[in-house]
Amino acid sequence: MNIFKSILIAFSIYSRIPVPTFEWGDVDYRHSISFLPLVGVVIGVLVGIATIFEDLPVFVLTAIFSVIPLLVTGGFHLDGFMDVYDAKSSFSEKEKSLEIMKDPHIGAFATIGLLKLVIIWAGALYLVVYGWKTGRHIGGVYSYAASFVTVRALCGLISIILPKAKSDGMLVREAGDAAIKDKAILGAELIIAGTAWAYVDWMSAICCGAGLFAFSTYYYLMCKKRFGGVTGDTAGYYVVMSELVVVVILAAIGTAYWL
């Protein structure tokens, strides 16, 4: 396992950060998912750096904090979110649902789902930023930064552990033949991220951890019932929805501090 190559491949796949070009081997590609959380580290660091603009209006800061992950990832996970939303909304059988997710066209349900996502995300993150800016929940924004690492570590572990819906596809290439060392790397990344999060704001870490566990359980049951397992698209859906769960919980915690 060439760790350096796998890290570069991870950034090449999961982000828009330029990396040196080289020949990808199957072994290197197979371990790239182990370093998916490192993309979250970049996002978290940039969010932390952006806090230097704390004097800007809350609305502007909300926009900045929202755009950072989009700029880093290029909206990579949103594609999977929209595909899964379309498939879920069709209430079709497994085979038809998988076909819908493969369709490159954007359906009406996907557009509606994205609109809902943006509205809820913007409203919740506004409350998080407001709580941080007013000093009522200072740990909110820093918890938001830490969540990008935690969510990706969870996504990597779940993608490796859960059964795959198809025998081919991107996720199978990335996680289908993952070894114990990949689980160990992702597990270590999850522990480090969770510990750092708890150090920043233990209450948020516990509440968001419970929320992520609940959503992960739902995700497993949903994928098993609707698709017969997980795919690259469902992994993207998991990342987007998990991040939304975190933001909503952080907004709720921040609001509770005001009461």
Side-chain angles (χ1 to χ4, degrees):
M1 178 179 178
N2 189 320
I3 293 179
F4 183 67
K5 279 188 175 181
S6 296
I7 291 174
L8 292 180
I9 292 173
F11 276 96
S12 179
I13 296 174
Y14 306 119
S15 79
R16 286 292 180 266
I17 299 173
V19 297
T21 57
F22 58 91
E23 184 177 351
W24 292 12
D26 289 340
V27 175
D28 303 317
Y29 195 105
R30 190 166 64 232
H31 299 292
S32 60
I33 197 168
S34 302
F35 303 101
L36 170 60
L38 296 185
V39 177
V41 171
V42 174
I43 298 172
V45 169
L46 291 177
V47 169
I49 293 173
T51 59
I52 64 175
F53 302 110
E54 60 182 334
D55 291 332
L56 292 174
V58 175
F59 177 79
V60 176
L61 286 169
T62 301
I64 292 174
F65 291 146
S66 297
V67 167
I68 287 174
L70 285 177
L71 291 178
V72 173
T73 66
F76 177 80
H77 304 291
L78 280 173
D79 176 68
F81 166 81
M82 296 179 74
D83 287 340
V84 172
Y85 204 94
D86 249 346
K88 282 182 58 185
S89 301
S90 70
F91 296 101
S92 302
E93 297 297 326
K94 170 189 169 184
E95 291 74 17
K96 180 62 177 178
S97 295
L98 292 174
E99 289 180 11
I100 291 174
M101 287 196 291
K102 288 177 61 177
D103 191 334
H105 299 92
I106 297 176
F109 290 118
T111 304
I112 294 171
L114 180 62
L115 182 60
K116 290 179 180 178
L117 172 71
V118 171
I119 293 174
I120 297 173
W121 178 279
L125 188 56
Y126 183 94
L127 292 175
V128 174
V129 175
Y130 180 79
W132 165 70
K133 189 176 172 64
T134 58
R136 293 174 175 174
H137 187 202
I138 297 176
V141 166
Y142 300 107
S143 294
Y144 170 72
S147 70
F148 292 102
V149 187
T150 305
V151 165
R152 281 161 177 76
L154 282 170
C155 179
L157 279 172
I158 289 173
S159 297
I160 289 175
I161 295 171
L162 295 186
K164 312 300 180 287
K166 301 182 293 183
S167 59
D168 58 356
M170 186 174 181
L171 188 63
V172 173
R173 291 187 64 189
E174 298 169 36
D177 196 25
I180 294 177
K181 65 181 69 175
D182 298 293
K183 298 176 184 178
I185 291 172
L186 285 164
E189 290 169 327
L190 178 60
I191 291 172
I192 293 171
T195 302
W197 191 344
Y199 177 78
V200 169
D201 186 350
W202 65 270
M203 178 62 74
S204 294
I206 292 175
C207 293
C208 290
L212 288 173
F213 176 79
F215 176 72
S216 297
T217 302
Y218 160 78
Y219 173 76
Y220 163 68
L221 296 175
M222 182 271 292
C223 288
K224 181 180 179 181
K225 178 180 179 180
R226 298 301 306 274
F227 311 119
V230 297
T231 69
D233 283 328
T234 66
Y237 174 85
Y238 179 86
V239 170
V240 172
M241 287 300 297
S242 293
E243 291 174 350
L244 181 64
V245 167
V246 168
V247 173
V248 170
I249 292 176
L250 290 176
I253 294 173
T255 303
Y257 279 125
W258 308 343
L259 300 177

